[in-house]
Amino acid sequence: MVGSLSRSTSRTIAGSTGPLFTGNDWDFDTIRRIHDACEAIAGPELGLSWYPNQIEIITAEQMLDAYASIGMPLFYKHWSFGKHFAQHEAGYRRGLMGLAYEIVINSDPCISYVMEENTATMQTLVIAHAAFGHNHFFKNNYLFRQWTDAEGILDYLDFAKGFISRCEERHGHQAVEQVLDAAHALMSQGVHRYPRKKRPDLASEQRRERERIEHGEQIYNDLWRTLPSKPGATRSDAAAERRRALLELPQENILYFLEKVAPRLRPWQREILRIVRLVAQYFYPQRQTKVMNEGCATYVHYRIMNALSEKGQIGEAAYLEFLQSHTNVIRQPNYDDRSYGGHNPYAIGFAMMQDIARIAENPTDEDRAWFPEIAGVGDGMGVLRNVWENYRDESFIAQFLSPKLIRDLRLFHVVDDPDEPELRVEAIHDERGYRRLRRSFARQYDVAWLDPDIEVVDVDLEGDRRLILHHKALNRITLQKDDARRVLQHLADLWGYDTVLKEVDPATGAVLAEHTASARPIFF
Amino acid sequence: MHIVDRRLNPGGKSLANRQRFLRRVKDVAQRAVRESAREKDIRDLGKDGRVSVPVDGVREPRFSRQPGSGLQDHILPGNKTYVEGDLIERPPGGGGGGGAGEGGEGGENSEDAFQFVLTREEFLELFLEDLELPDLAKRRLAVVETEGLRRAGYTVTGSPANLALTRTLRNSMSRRIALKRPKPDELAALEARIAGLREGDPALPDLKLSLELLRERSKRIPYVDPIDLRYRRFEPYPRPVAQAVMFCLMDVSGSMTEHMKDLAKRFYILLHIFLTRRYRHVEIVFIRHTDRATEVDEETFFGSRETGGTLVSSALVEMKRVITERYDPNDWNIYAAQASDGDNVSSDGPTSTELLRSHILPACQHFAYLEVGDENGPRAGFVEHRTTLWRTYESIAKSGGAIAMRKVNHRREIYPVFRELFGRKDARTEAEA
């Protein structure tokens, strides 16, 4: 799931008289007309490309259901989804939160859920936002192309759901729940952050093996056998080296490591780890592109709605209603505002997209100095398409956050050093600050930087099979103790033997903290 | 492009997840249900219940960084005053400056305990499970049906007795307004003007003409027309005698401990759940007694504790009075459950027997006597030490009176006893044998 335009107060403005629809009501024919009108703008004018659209109308209750299973139309069963449902429902009932207007799924065809209670204007906005904006981003961004299989995801989830429910029948709810709990705890340590070497398939493996043997036979010389072995490197060092290579250590994808190597897991348990890991991997690009994805969708809906309004396809009342929702979505409260809750990805994303288009089409001298590649090239949309395709939040901000925008947002950088009595303002929106501010801001969106860097470094296979992990404590920030202990317990349970997690200061190599856990005999 | 209408898809997709969640928090939920059974009124039990779950019980741990440890960066929008190098006083409560930088630290730790609402079914399931209760639905009591009449809108024909006056006049008024029937005031005003003019005034013929027209119009448009008439319509329907009254009789003399009252309350709650599932409408009458009996509300019933002698017949007299005044046995299914520790003045025996046999038992569907004892079991084998009241009721039961009696000492015995008392006839005789 990505991109839920969060709902603000839904004020309705009645009586629009555009040709696409009048008033607030819509029917399927209206939706079709809206979609086609958006398509006529998204394609020829904006040059977007997208997966075929599938728009599904759902009720508020179904929206709550969808929330509970992280937005996926089908998902395996687990208590945590029930918990989230209960939380959301309670919040919704008490009026503490609104529901999203839409949920989009990165799949081919791209499924957008829209709620039946949206007004016709909102449906237009949502379709422009989700069915074209997000859809384009999913289809074209390099991370999604690299990591997600839009065609296969729904089938895979269907398989996962079936598999897990069969496991529940066969091994009991409790047993499955324990594995899922453990796997969920390690979910954010269950992704490959970088593309790995492509594994050869069986046929080519066989062919290579044959070639190797043939080559060996050709160069065989019995004399080699009589060479004395090299002194120096001891046997055990080489063995350890070889073992680590075989286990692909160090390994940051802990779930992958357990799935492949954990000695005592049964096949169905490994399969569950795999399912959780693949789901985590599927969502990983979305975590890395929140700002860009929302920015792209928001920019696209803004362009489409304006084009529709210019063509007279939506009336003034509808346009006003759209503007109200739009400004709500891109509102960024200041840090001292009571409603401040961090950076709003919609606001940052949208502002940056607009800024990029401005730089491409209407650059100032400052822009020319900062962005020589894009300043004044003219085709703002072309630049944006290129950006959407080739960046993620961190590189995007590092590359394109302009001094003007830093000034507009009045960004400043505060450093909180626990050893100092006071917070220090490190940089502000001035000549000296732009680059430093941009660098540290980009880093806030670097998921690999934000997630604790934890690796499996070694395992004593010949001794007590103890699993050793290291946490590289960046800036000496250690892990939250309670949670670390709990997760490590899950990890030990899966591994089946003792497990130790050392928190290491990467600068000095000093061990800052150490957690240990012994496996409980619950899985076996 | 496809449009799919999912609205008619079966909802409750997360039901299975909800069940798993409930199973997970069962201990917490069960404790909450138990608490509420103690605190809630009998009537309210089985309505939706709120359960609040401490986060710890359903924590989903993740590796996350300790907030406030190590060097933290915050990028914040909306700077107005600061320049580079400024020092800011640390906001109270530690942590980040101004507000937590987004995603800077693990958001998981900020969860609070949260509440969720059990549905009625979920609540009852947990509640009944507490009492080791499988299902009540198998138990069945005779349900009498009678023919009833109920209102079913309006018709245009009917007997004058059923004339719906308000509705008729409303129709009439809207018709009069629509057809512009002259108002009496207008006529009167016109007449007054005519009377005020002298004969031969030039305006007179015109005024007379218009008065004539108005009168004509009033005649043509009557005040109430037959088409305005509406009659209340009644419709016969088979009506189960869907009402029951439950008498809770309790001895509140000093010898009744809190534990005994708790046992009694649990029994009454079960009885109430049982009856509300069977009948649409259940009333409860609480009668407490020492040597005098009064009808009271629930709070007083379970809360008060008095001293004084015990006279069971007083409660029976009171019950008889309430039945005669308010609950005709022909219209009501009457149930009674009496809880007592069994002490009674021995001279009261014959009076009670007589009251029960000739007044109470014939009116009741079912009369249950529950002797509540000490938590630690019968002091010395209760078969030998039969209480006064037990002996009295036993003699009635032996001579064929429809009275069921059991003794309970512990909470866990409530349900089995309830089951014996309210089981089907054959099951009951078996159990008694």
Side-chain angles (χ1 to χ4, degrees):
Chain A
M1 168 193 60
V2 92
S4 348
L5 273 175
S6 52
R7 165 170 304 239
S8 49
T9 51
S10 63
R11 211 178 87 202
T12 48
I13 301 171
S16 87
T17 49
L20 276 177
F21 51 83
T22 55
N24 287 326
D25 297 337
W26 51 266
D27 53 23
F28 292 102
D29 199 42
T30 321
I31 299 248
R32 188 169 297 280
R33 281 201 309 273
I34 289 171
H35 176 271
D36 292 348
C38 292
E39 189 171 31
I41 295 160
E45 282 186 34
L46 306 182
L48 305 182
S49 68
W50 55 85
Y51 295 125
N53 273 311
Q54 179 163 325
I55 293 169
E56 307 201 351
I57 319 281
I58 60 173
T59 60
E61 195 207 341
Q62 286 168 324
M63 189 57 105
L64 275 170
D65 277 344
Y67 270 33
S69 55
I70 46 180
M72 301 311 282
L74 33 102
F75 217 58
Y76 56 81
K77 308 268 181 268
H78 187 251
W79 61 269
S80 65
F81 308 136
K83 167 186 153 187
H84 293 144
F85 182 83
Q87 264 172 327
H88 286 135
E89 195 193 26
Y92 180 57
R93 291 250 157 98
R94 273 181 290 166
L96 294 183
M97 58 175 259
L99 292 178
Y101 293 110
E102 43 80 27
I103 285 181
V104 210
I105 291 165
N106 167 24
S107 63
D108 179 9
C110 176
I111 299 174
S112 314
Y113 291 115
V114 302
M115 281 215 292
E116 64 170 344
E117 58 182 53
N118 292 349
T119 61
T121 312
M122 280 314 299
Q123 302 293 30
T124 317
L125 170 60
V126 160
I127 287 170
H129 181 92
F132 293 97
H134 284 307
N135 193 346
H136 171 83
F137 195 81
F138 287 145
K139 189 178 171 204
N140 294 286
N141 183 265
Y142 80 104
L143 281 174
F144 288 89
R145 293 161 70 107
Q146 195 164 38
W147 289 113
T148 66
D149 174 12
E151 269 170 61
I153 181 66
L154 293 183
D155 287 341
Y156 185 73
L157 288 179
D158 189 39
F159 154 77
K161 185 181 172 189
F163 182 82
I164 286 181
S165 80
R166 279 195 303 280
C167 283
E168 282 180 341
E169 279 166 27
R170 196 169 303 161
H171 309 286
H173 284 286
Q174 182 120 22
V176 174
E177 190 171 288
Q178 276 161 353
V179 181
L180 276 177
D181 284 356
H184 282 183
L186 291 163
M187 206 162 175
S188 42
Q189 271 69 42
V191 291
H192 290 299
R193 294 194 162 74
Y194 309 99
R196 295 170 312 142
K197 195 180 72 177
K198 193 139 178 80
R199 285 184 177 276
D201 57 31
L202 281 177
S204 64
E205 193 95 317
Q206 213 174 6
R207 181 170 45 75
R208 283 174 48 177
E209 180 68 15
R210 203 172 51 239
E211 284 169 4
R212 210 162 26 235
I213 293 173
E214 279 170 13
H215 178 72
E217 283 169 355
Q218 278 168 15
I219 62 160
Y220 178 74
N221 186 336
D222 198 42
L223 272 183
W224 288 109
R225 196 171 46 81
T226 62
L227 283 182
S229 67
K230 223 197 281 175
T234 63
R235 223 184 147 69
S236 65
D237 270 2
E241 208 51 47
R242 185 174 153 69
R243 184 186 73 231
R244 287 162 57 126
L246 270 180
L247 295 176
E248 298 183 66
L249 292 176
Q251 175 62 265
E252 59 166 2
N253 191 335
I254 299 176
L255 278 182
Y256 175 80
F257 175 81
L258 291 171
E259 174 199 328
K260 299 293 178 206
V261 183
R264 300 179 67 184
L265 289 180
R266 280 181 276 164
W268 64 270
Q269 292 168 326
R270 289 182 206 278
E271 188 64 45
I272 289 181
L273 293 193
R274 186 178 158 79
I275 286 169
V276 173
R277 176 169 73 80
L278 291 181
V279 169
Q281 190 76 59
Y282 171 81
F283 283 112
Y284 189 58
Q286 305 205 357
R287 285 185 57 208
Q288 296 184 75
T289 54
K290 186 92 180 127
V291 168
M292 288 194 71
N293 204 342
E294 293 307 350
C296 168
T298 308
Y299 187 78
V300 166
H301 84 224
Y302 187 71
R303 289 285 300 261
I304 291 182
M305 293 304 278
N306 276 307
L308 286 177
S309 163
E310 279 159 25
K311 290 183 187 175
Q313 284 178 302
I314 55 172
E316 264 175 37
Y319 187 69
L320 276 177
E321 186 190 345
F322 148 70
L323 272 186
Q324 204 222 356
S325 302
H326 177 74
T327 39
N328 267 326
V329 163
I330 59 164
R331 192 174 107 81
Q332 172 65 65
N334 286 338
Y335 78 100
D336 49 358
D337 194 311
R338 246 202 305 181
S339 60
Y340 178 76
H343 291 284
N344 174 358
Y346 294 85
I348 306 273
F350 180 68
M352 284 187 67
M353 302 304 168
Q354 280 211 310
D355 198 43
I356 289 171
R358 180 190 61 79
I359 292 170
E361 284 156 13
N362 263 318
T364 61
D365 287 344
E366 182 185 54
D367 297 327
R368 283 183 210 285
W370 278 68
F371 304 102
E373 297 88 15
I374 61 166
V377 297
D379 178 17
M381 207 49 221
V383 173
L384 280 176
R385 281 198 304 273
N386 183 291
V387 169
W388 291 334
E389 229 169 274
N390 296 312
Y391 290 82
R392 60 191 172 118
D393 284 351
E394 181 252 340
S395 57
F396 169 64
I397 290 171
Q399 187 78 26
F400 293 107
L401 186 65
S402 72
K404 176 176 184 300
L405 202 57
I406 294 178
R407 285 194 301 272
D408 287 352
L409 292 168
R410 309 187 73 80
L411 292 179
F412 66 116
H413 178 189
V414 177
V415 174
D416 178 0
D417 186 341
D419 298 337
E420 301 288 328
E422 283 158 322
L423 308 176
R424 193 175 71 254
V425 176
E426 183 76 14
I428 67 157
H429 39 91
D430 60 10
E431 208 62 49
R432 277 166 54 79
Y434 294 143
R435 276 184 204 282
R436 284 189 288 162
L437 206 53
R438 185 164 80 170
R439 195 166 50 237
S440 40
F441 193 44
R443 192 179 281 165
Q444 304 254 311
Y445 285 93
D446 186 355
V447 174
W449 176 271
L450 294 176
D451 285 347
D453 180 9
I454 297 170
E455 283 180 342
V456 180
V457 290
D458 206 357
V459 42
D460 185 359
L461 271 187
E462 281 156 15
D464 58 5
R465 300 195 170 175
R466 194 152 88 132
L467 188 66
I468 302 162
L469 294 104
H470 280 181
H471 168 224
K472 281 188 201 147
L474 209 66
N475 289 343
R476 303 174 68 89
I477 304 177
T478 52
L479 294 177
Q480 215 270 327
K481 238 187 228 115
D482 257 12
D483 276 351
R485 190 175 43 76
R486 283 167 215 259
V487 179
L488 199 68
Q489 183 61 60
H490 281 307
L491 179 54
D493 291 341
L494 287 173
W495 176 244
Y497 298 94
D498 288 1
T499 305
V500 58
L501 170 64
K502 292 180 181 169
E503 304 205 37
V504 183
D505 183 353
T508 61
V511 176
L512 303 172
E514 196 171 305
H515 315 265
T516 53
S518 303
R520 295 171 296 184
I522 54 170
F523 285 177
F524 312 104
Chain B
M1 199 266 301
H2 289 289
I3 303 178
V4 184
D5 190 353
R6 293 267 180 231
R7 285 173 294 180
L8 294 178
N9 275 23
K13 239 167 69 174
S14 48
L15 186 69
N17 289 328
R18 201 181 153 91
Q19 284 167 346
R20 281 165 177 74
F21 175 58
L22 257 187
R23 203 160 51 217
R24 181 94 182 180
V25 297
K26 191 163 150 197
D27 291 344
V28 182
Q30 209 155 45
R31 216 174 308 136
V33 164
R34 232 174 278 157
E35 291 290 304
S36 72
R38 196 163 304 152
E39 283 155 18
K40 266 190 188 174
D41 293 350
I42 289 178
R43 271 169 245 262
D44 291 340
L45 207 80
K47 286 187 186 152
D48 295 348
R50 283 190 177 285
V51 173
S52 120
V53 179
V55 172
D56 221 41
V58 284
R59 181 121 157 202
E60 296 170 85
R62 297 279 158 91
F63 282 131
S64 60
R65 295 201 177 117
Q66 175 76 44
S69 82
L71 204 66
Q72 307 252 0
D73 290 311
H74 302 282
I75 312 289
L76 304 167
N79 172 34
K80 288 175 206 84
T81 47
Y82 299 123
V83 296
E84 189 185 327
D86 274 2
L87 296 179
I88 309 173
E89 208 171 310
R90 208 175 282 276
E102 198 207 31
E105 52 271 293
E108 295 283 321
N109 307 322
S110 54
E111 286 177 74
D112 295 326
F114 69 94
Q115 282 201 324
F116 68 102
V117 179
L118 290 175
T119 64
R120 190 187 148 84
E121 288 307 313
E122 285 167 344
F123 186 92
L124 286 183
E125 195 181 306
L126 284 167
F127 175 74
L128 299 180
E129 202 177 73
D130 180 27
L131 293 162
E132 289 155 11
L133 184 73
D135 55 341
L136 279 169
K138 285 184 195 144
R139 314 277 147 240
R140 135 171 86 77
L141 288 176
V143 176
V144 187
E145 294 214 343
T146 58
E147 187 91 336
L149 280 177
R150 66 178 163 208
R151 288 289 303 277
Y154 298 94
T155 81
V156 291
T157 57
S159 79
N162 287 335
L163 184 67
L165 206 57
T166 327
R167 180 59 67 110
T168 301
L169 283 177
R170 191 198 296 169
N171 286 343
S172 135
M173 182 153 88
S174 52
R175 183 180 48 80
R176 276 181 277 130
I177 292 171
L179 298 178
K180 298 202 173 69
R181 184 182 198 264
K183 295 194 181 97
D185 299 357
E186 294 173 38
L187 280 173
L190 204 55
E191 274 166 4
R193 258 183 88 188
I194 291 174
L197 292 173
R198 271 181 295 114
E199 199 66 40
D201 196 292
L204 203 56
D206 277 358
L207 284 178
K208 275 190 172 163
L209 185 63
S210 49
L211 180 66
E212 197 56 34
L213 281 173
L214 281 186
R215 284 198 175 130
E216 189 66 19
R217 205 173 166 76
S218 294
K219 262 183 228 151
R220 264 190 288 118
I221 306 166
Y223 191 80
V224 175
D225 191 275
I227 65 166
D228 299 335
L229 295 182
R230 290 294 179 277
Y231 299 89
R232 291 188 295 270
R233 199 171 91 82
F234 291 91
E235 192 183 63
Y237 75 106
R239 180 183 62 168
V241 177
Q243 50 192 6
V245 58
M246 160 180 151
F247 283 88
C248 306
L249 310 176
M250 187 156 69
D251 178 358
V252 291
S253 60
S255 55
M256 285 288 283
T257 62
E258 281 307 311
H259 170 70
M260 292 170 175
K261 282 182 194 164
D262 184 54
L263 287 181
K265 179 162 186 179
R266 275 161 191 275
F267 188 80
Y268 293 134
I269 284 173
L270 262 182
L271 182 57
H272 188 253
I273 289 174
F274 176 62
L275 293 177
T276 42
R277 288 198 154 190
R278 200 74 54 237
Y279 300 102
R280 202 181 305 156
H281 186 63
V282 178
E283 293 202 358
I284 315 179
V285 177
F286 296 101
I287 297 175
R288 59 168 193 169
H289 72 91
T290 51
D291 52 351
R292 279 174 312 159
T294 36
E295 188 186 344
V296 292
D297 59 17
E298 183 177 343
E299 210 174 312
T300 331
F301 184 73
F302 287 107
S304 79
R305 195 162 163 175
E306 307 192 343
T307 48
T310 313
L311 201 63
V312 171
S313 61
S314 66
L316 298 176
V317 171
E318 179 73 2
M319 178 172 167
K320 185 182 154 213
R321 179 187 69 80
V322 176
I323 291 180
T324 334
E325 279 175 16
R326 309 210 302 261
Y327 302 103
D328 182 353
N330 293 324
D331 291 340
W332 291 84
N333 295 288
I334 299 176
Y335 292 85
Q338 183 178 18
S340 169
D341 57 355
D343 286 338
N344 196 15
V345 183
S346 52
S347 64
D348 189 43
T351 331
S352 304
T353 312
E354 173 53 23
L355 269 168
L356 272 172
R357 192 163 283 156
S358 47
H359 297 288
I360 307 285
L361 291 183
C364 280
Q365 299 284 104
H366 200 81
F367 188 99
Y369 170 64
L370 189 75
E371 192 155 302
V372 285
D374 226 23
E375 183 155 21
N376 307 318
R379 266 153 289 187
F382 96 103
V383 183
E384 286 79 31
H385 279 262
R386 288 181 185 169
T387 59
T388 331
L389 200 56
W390 184 274
R391 283 200 299 271
T392 310
Y393 285 173
E394 201 173 39
S395 71
I396 300 174
K398 277 200 179 128
S399 56
I403 183 168
M405 42 205 291
R406 281 292 176 281
K407 187 166 170 76
V408 285
N409 291 304
H410 200 274
R411 223 177 264 159
R412 63 173 172 268
E413 297 165 6
I414 293 278
Y415 176 65
V417 163
F418 179 82
R419 206 176 140 101
E420 282 173 31
L421 291 181
F422 284 86
R424 273 170 306 176
K425 273 279 187 299
D426 49 340
R428 194 154 70 229
T429 42
E430 243 170 65
E432 272 172 11

